[in-house]
Amino acid sequence: SKNAVELEWDKFWNFNKKYIDPVAPRFMAVARDSSIPINVVGPDGKPFPESHKTVPLLPKDKDGSQFGFKSLFLGPKVLIEQEDVQGSEAVPRIKVGEKFVLLNWGVFECTKVHTDDKDEVTALDATFEPEGDFKTPEKKIHWVTESPHNTQINMYEFDHLVSKPKLEENDKMEDVVRDPSVGVTELIGEPGIRNLPENSFLQLLRRGYMRVDLPYRPDKALDLFMIPDGKQKAMSTLSTKLAHR
């Protein structure tokens, strides 16, 4: 048949998740401009020691037999997204005594919330609870340890070039061209991201699927292109520069 068929792009983008999700290693990264620190202490009240934890690159590959492992840097100061604890219509503000999960690490109890004169959360103090229950806390937060080995990232998001799904005969191009159609966010990522080669895929937890456009270079940021997954709703409540595709 030679019948013309019109389809929305999201029908094709749905295939991205189908093929990328089973093989994309999982990493974490936080926005450079809006991240805040958590001062972490252990059960003994002392600053949490710098150390490493080995976790599988893909959660389903628990023994690492297919895709291997990565090392998570742990330490006394970690960075999180400020919007995860500030409070909004979508996310309640964190409270002293509240327990939360740092993904791939464990359960913590908030012992102090630091704020500025505008009541903006600027930092947290928290205690690691080795025996904490992962299922109980509502907040499950991605993070990176503050470290000179972290990977500097430019994350690019792309939108449709035109603002209408179908152009009409009388439409003027200058009226329907979307501006901006590209958004860039500076991220601070796990050290292991710098080892990914050009054109490899990964998933940034709670953000989405990515392709490495330009790999790590000394003194230059690694460039990631966000891959549309065809869903109308993003993976989390994190704000983005452009609408999720």
Side-chain angles (χ1 to χ4, degrees):
S1 172
K2 296 183 179 180
N3 291 336
V5 177
E6 293 184 358
L7 293 174
E8 295 288 344
W9 273 108
D10 57 3
K11 307 301 181 186
F12 297 98
W13 291 338
N14 283 328
F15 287 103
N16 285 336
K17 180 178 181 179
K18 178 180 178 180
Y19 291 104
I20 294 173
D21 186 79
V23 298
R26 271 54 167 178
F27 289 97
M28 295 182 287
V30 298
R32 171 182 292 278
D33 292 342
S34 57
S35 62
I36 62 169
I38 301 180
N39 304 305
V40 180
V41 299
D44 58 1
K46 297 180 180 179
F48 196 92
E50 293 185 354
S51 55
H52 296 81
K53 179 181 180 181
T54 301
V55 298
L57 279 168
L58 266 73
K60 294 181 180 179
D61 182 30
K62 295 183 179 180
D63 61 358
S65 58
Q66 289 184 284
F67 299 97
F69 297 90
K70 67 175 181 178
S71 290
L72 277 179
F73 283 61
L74 311 180
K77 183 173 288 189
V78 304
L79 302 174
I80 64 169
E81 306 276 356
Q82 194 256 8
E83 62 184 290
D84 276 333
V85 295
Q86 172 63 33
S88 65
E89 292 183 3
V91 182
R93 188 182 181 106
I94 196 165
K95 300 176 181 178
V96 171
E98 181 178 348
K99 299 183 190 301
F100 61 93
V101 170
L102 291 184
L103 295 172
N104 291 328
W105 186 349
V107 178
F108 296 76
E109 180 179 346
C110 177
T111 57
K112 186 173 182 178
V113 179
H114 300 265
T115 59
D116 59 16
D117 55 3
K118 297 181 180 178
D119 201 34
E120 296 284 325
V121 178
T122 58
L124 301 179
D125 293 346
T127 301
F128 175 53
E129 297 190 347
E131 305 302 323
D133 182 2
F134 278 76
K135 297 180 181 180
T136 303
E138 293 185 4
K139 293 186 185 296
K140 294 177 172 60
I141 302 172
H142 67 287
W143 56 279
V144 294
T145 298
E146 190 173 80
S147 167
H149 304 293
N150 286 335
T151 307
Q152 309 307 312
I153 298 169
N154 290 324
M155 182 186 73
Y156 290 80
E157 303 168 68
F158 300 94
D159 206 340
H160 298 293
L161 294 178
V162 295
S163 58
K164 297 178 64 175
K166 183 178 180 180
L167 296 180
E168 305 296 336
E169 184 177 348
N170 296 327
D171 282 333
K172 295 181 180 179
M173 186 58 66
E174 59 267 25
D175 295 333
V176 296
V177 170
R178 191 184 300 275
D179 185 26
S181 61
V182 179
V184 184
T185 303
E186 294 184 0
L187 304 176
I188 303 172
E190 293 181 51
I193 297 177
R194 69 175 61 193
N195 298 322
L196 297 175
E198 184 178 1
N199 289 323
S200 59
F201 299 116
L202 68 149
Q203 183 190 88
L204 289 183
L205 294 183
R206 303 181 66 228
R207 286 193 179 274
Y209 302 106
M210 309 282 167
R211 180 183 67 82
V212 178
D213 186 66
L214 286 176
Y216 172 78
R217 299 141 293 167
D219 302 321
K220 291 186 178 181
L222 177 145
D223 288 350
L224 294 179
F225 283 7
M226 180 174 280
I227 301 171
D229 58 14
K231 294 185 178 297
Q232 295 298 315
K233 189 175 181 181
M235 287 186 174
S236 71
T237 57
L238 292 176
S239 59
T240 56
K241 293 291 178 66
L242 300 176
H244 181 73
R245 302 297 180 190

